[in-house]
Amino acid sequence: MDLDFTESENAFRQECRDWLEAHVPREPLASGDTREGFSQHLEWERKLFDAGWAAVSWPTQYGGREASLVEWLIFEEEYYLAGAPNRVTQNGIFLLAPTLFEFGTEEQKERILRPMARGDVTWAQAWSEPNAGSDLAALKSTARRVDGGWRLSGQKTWSTRAAFCDMAYGLFRTDPAQARHRGLTYFMFPLHAEGVTVRGVDRLDGDEGFAEIFLEDVFVSDADVIGETNEGWGVAMATTSSERGLSLRSPGRFMATAARLIDLHRRYQDRAGPALRDEVIRAWMDAQAYRWFTFQTVTRMMQEESIGADSSMNKVFWSEMDVRTHETALSIIGALQELDERAPSAIDDGQWMKGFQFALAGPIYAGTNEIQRNIIAERVLGLPRK
Amino acid sequence: MRFAFTDDQKMLRDTVREVLQRECPPEVVRAAWEGRHEGAKAVWSTLAETGLMGMTASEEAGGMAMTALDLVLPLEETGYAAWPAPIVDTVAVGIPLLEAAGTEEQKERWLPAAVAGRIRIVLSFEGQDVVAHAASSDLLIAERDGAAFCVPMAEVTVVPEQSVDRSRDLGRVSFDVGPRSRMRQDIDAGALLSLARDRAALGTAARLIGLSRRMLDMAVQYAKDREQFGKPIGTQQAVKHRLANALIEQEFARPLVYRAAWCLATSAPEAPTAVSLAKIYAGQAAQFVAKQALQVHGAIGYTIEYDLHMWMKRAWALAAAHGDAAHHRERIGRQIL
């Protein structure tokens, strides 16, 4: 065990810090989940890409730095500590790309990865359907074989930022004779093609962060199938496990939130009292617990151990920690907690209420925490399914 | 950054695990509950043969000069077995403290015997005069008014107390604070004692992790075996989620304990904060798991004849020993706020 960072890891951290200090926008951008904010964020993403920071763990040929997992975690710590903007390329870089690295063809990687990381082509996930949420295998959208490709039909929903994105990916039923998770295929498809209608849906916090996608005989060529036909479930599960496991929410994000909470407490401690002080300490400690848990996980991954269903524990922990941390902040703010973004008297520009609303989504997305707890009980503890 | 144990460290854990599995089944814990400590003491001798008791002593003293990091996994196993013995006091804290702060005479008299596993040491830090296993131990190392003392148990008055965990054989210790038992005065006793307190807290945290794991194992097994409504209760989502929550608490405490062990082993400046984090999370996890395990067992868990209660009560005792959550949270609060 060696929990010190190596010299080169420290040098990497310094390089991240220096670059971010010089380049992170001084004024916060508008929310990346609004049309206006989305394009502001893309400008920032381009800067990140051009300096080689968009996807540090990727091979250099796709614009990465071949950073180790530990270095990636270091980058994330520095990124969020510097107050850099949330990543609107997240669902491409951290969800689709890992799948492409594992299942994609050379042609697909060449064509898709660089524009994705540079924000030139933006990607939305299209997992859920109106009647397939936690029970994703109940999905009904279909892909029909035609000359040279497929025709997609059906409806996808809760598709993050799809109202502003260029492309999406998701599962479609290619063999209607097969039930549930069999007979599904993983497709990438355009959002601005004939037969596609995208309708933005305002989320709890008022941003148009969600969208519904309606597909009517949308043509997709064979080049946009990932993995084998009818094997899409396995391909998709690889993605959801990386989503929960690590790449969706690294510790750096929560360490930064805890640091901001400590700063808030410092400014308003007179009204906070000892119970809230304990909660502030707890928020900091939870972020530390998540950090060390993650370093342990990453060591296992670097030793080629599979982390499997352990990633479900990870997801439950960070999502519930994030809600608690924001609740503590709102309690410190007290009577003014209802003040929204841009309210003249809002403390920290209402970002805690905004963040609270975003945090509330955590236990729901990427597989609800109820489903995660089933997975933990069945696959880690070995409790019987029925 | 590499967060993993070496093969040697895991091998040592396995050795201790095998000894405890063989020689410290629940009946041995239960016997200690009834005042019969022979079984638990026999385990001490067997573990001494593996060299465990001398692990933390220097090589000159016949030990292996091992660190908290080497010791943390074996200590976790002693928690798993609920072995009732002052192993943390003796090996994690007492022997290194005796070696660092004992007079030549004290070291000559006690160190070789401790390293060989012939004597047991217990600790009494300032304000902590209720001590487990005092009556059955040989030497008391105590802190009084900032000074360290090394007192043969024959010169210590032990007034029996009663722990909810009977196997702890609890007593209130007192002794004459005289120059004869004073430890070396030409050294910074404050620093050594504060290191000793951290070692005790970390050792206790390691045992707590082991206790958690055992209680969770028991509850999972019970949920698989016990049938109601014609199927195992473990098929019920309410039971599953309870146990999933228990696992999460436990598994997020564990790396904090290992990291604190590394910090102590390397004298890292963040060691005190790391130890406090470890102690808080390990204590919380053990108490949380205890509660879930009890609920999953139902009425049978709420009896003295079933084994679970011995682990639960140990968890309650250790969660507050060597600094409860409030104490350690305050220590962290002073650092970060």
Side-chain angles (χ1 to χ4, degrees), chain B residues 4-80:
Chain B
F5 287 93
T6 63
D7 288 342
D8 283 349
Q9 285 162 341
K10 288 189 249 179
M11 224 155 67
L12 185 61
R13 172 198 64 195
D14 292 344
T15 305
V16 172
R17 179 181 289 176
E18 279 160 35
V19 168
L20 289 167
Q21 246 167 21
R22 201 170 58 238
E23 295 194 20
C24 192
E27 300 83 71
V28 168
V29 186
R30 193 168 282 282
W33 261 71
E34 290 153 6
R36 291 179 283 113
H37 297 274
E38 302 76 18
K41 281 194 157 175
V43 176
W44 192 283
S45 307
T46 311
L47 285 175
E49 283 163 28
T50 70
L52 186 72
M53 303 311 160
M55 269 184 66
T56 55
S58 68
E59 283 169 13
E60 302 86 80
M64 295 190 267
M66 285 181 163
T67 66
L69 191 59
D70 303 304
L71 197 56
V72 68
L73 294 178
L75 288 179
E76 186 179 327
E77 294 305 315
T78 69
Y80 189 83

Side-chain angles (χ1 to χ4, degrees), chain B residues 29 32-33 37 82 84-85 133 163 165-170 310 314:
Chain B
V29 186
W33 261 71
H37 297 274
H133 309 294
S163 172
D165 172 3
R166 299 282 190 273
S167 69
R168 274 167 64 77
D169 193 18
L170 214 58
M310 298 191 289
R314 184 72 56 79

Side-chain angles (χ1 to χ4, degrees), chain A residues 216-267:
Chain A
E216 276 177 78
D217 273 333
V218 178
F219 180 77
V220 169
S221 85
D222 283 323
D224 284 332
V225 172
I226 306 179
E228 299 296 314
T229 307
N230 293 335
E231 300 293 334
W233 184 260
V235 178
M237 285 306 109
T239 320
T240 55
S241 125
S242 66
E243 177 180 20
R244 285 196 296 267
L246 256 191
S247 49
L248 183 61
R249 298 289 181 256
S250 72
R253 197 186 272 246
F254 306 105
M255 289 162 65
T257 311
R260 285 201 306 276
L261 180 67
I262 288 171
D263 175 62
L264 177 75
H265 179 261
R266 200 167 284 141
R267 284 178 282 141

Side-chain angles (χ1 to χ4, degrees), chain A residues 83-152:
Chain A
N86 284 340
R87 305 289 304 274
V88 295
T89 51
Q90 168 111 27
N91 288 350
I93 293 176
F94 298 118
L95 288 184
L96 177 57
T99 305
L100 284 172
F101 282 121
E102 198 170 337
F103 298 95
T105 63
E106 283 311 309
E107 182 278 324
Q108 287 172 331
K109 288 188 273 188
E110 278 302 323
R111 170 164 55 96
I112 294 165
L113 290 171
R114 286 183 75 96
M116 168 197 288
R118 194 162 183 271
D120 292 341
V121 177
T122 51
W123 290 84
Q125 54 80 14
W127 296 129
S128 294
E129 294 184 1
N131 291 308
S134 287
D135 185 10
L136 184 61
L139 67 89
K140 291 200 177 70
S141 298
T142 58
R144 184 168 51 86
R145 198 79 178 103
V146 293
D147 219 21
W150 302 81
R151 294 267 174 194
L152 310 186

Side-chain angles (χ1 to χ4, degrees), chain A residues 1-6 9 70 262 265-266 277-278 280-282 284-293 295-296 299-300 302-303 312-314 316-318 320 369-374 376-378 380-386, chain B residues 1-6 9 69 216 219-221 223-224 231-232 234-237 239-241 243-245 247-249 251-256 258-260 262-263 270 273 276-277 280-281 284 328-330 332-334 336-337:
Chain A
M1 187 172 303
D2 184 358
L3 305 185
D4 274 331
F5 294 102
T6 63
E9 285 164 349
V70 170
I262 288 171
H265 179 261
R266 200 167 284 141
R277 179 177 186 270
D278 283 356
V280 172
I281 298 169
R282 181 186 178 183
W284 181 86
M285 295 194 301
D286 278 350
Q288 288 292 310
Y290 184 46
R291 182 182 197 226
W292 291 105
F293 182 89
F295 280 127
Q296 184 185 256
T299 302
R300 285 170 56 198
M302 287 163 91
Q303 292 171 342
S312 292
M313 290 201 276
N314 201 323
V316 171
F317 189 87
W318 63 249
E320 296 181 1
N369 287 10
E370 284 68 25
I371 295 292
Q372 305 306 340
R373 287 185 163 94
N374 288 350
I376 293 164
E378 288 163 13
V380 186
L381 295 176
L383 290 172
R385 293 199 67 174
K386 317 189 187 349
Chain B
M1 172 62 60
R2 185 178 167 279
F3 199 127
F5 287 93
T6 63
Q9 285 162 341
L69 191 59
L216 188 54
V220 167
Q221 192 58 50
K224 288 178 185 171
K231 56 186 179 182
T235 56
Q236 306 286 359
Q237 206 170 44
V239 173
K240 281 183 179 160
H241 286 192
L243 293 174
N245 288 340
L247 183 71
I248 291 169
E249 289 278 326
E251 291 308 308
F252 277 85
R254 179 192 302 285
L256 291 176
Y258 298 161
R259 182 224 171 193
W262 180 84
C263 286
E270 64 271 29
T273 305
S276 285
L277 263 171
I280 291 171
Y281 278 72
Q284 271 170 3
H328 286 289
R329 190 168 49 234
E330 198 41 48
I332 291 173
R334 283 198 303 271
I336 64 164
L337 295 185

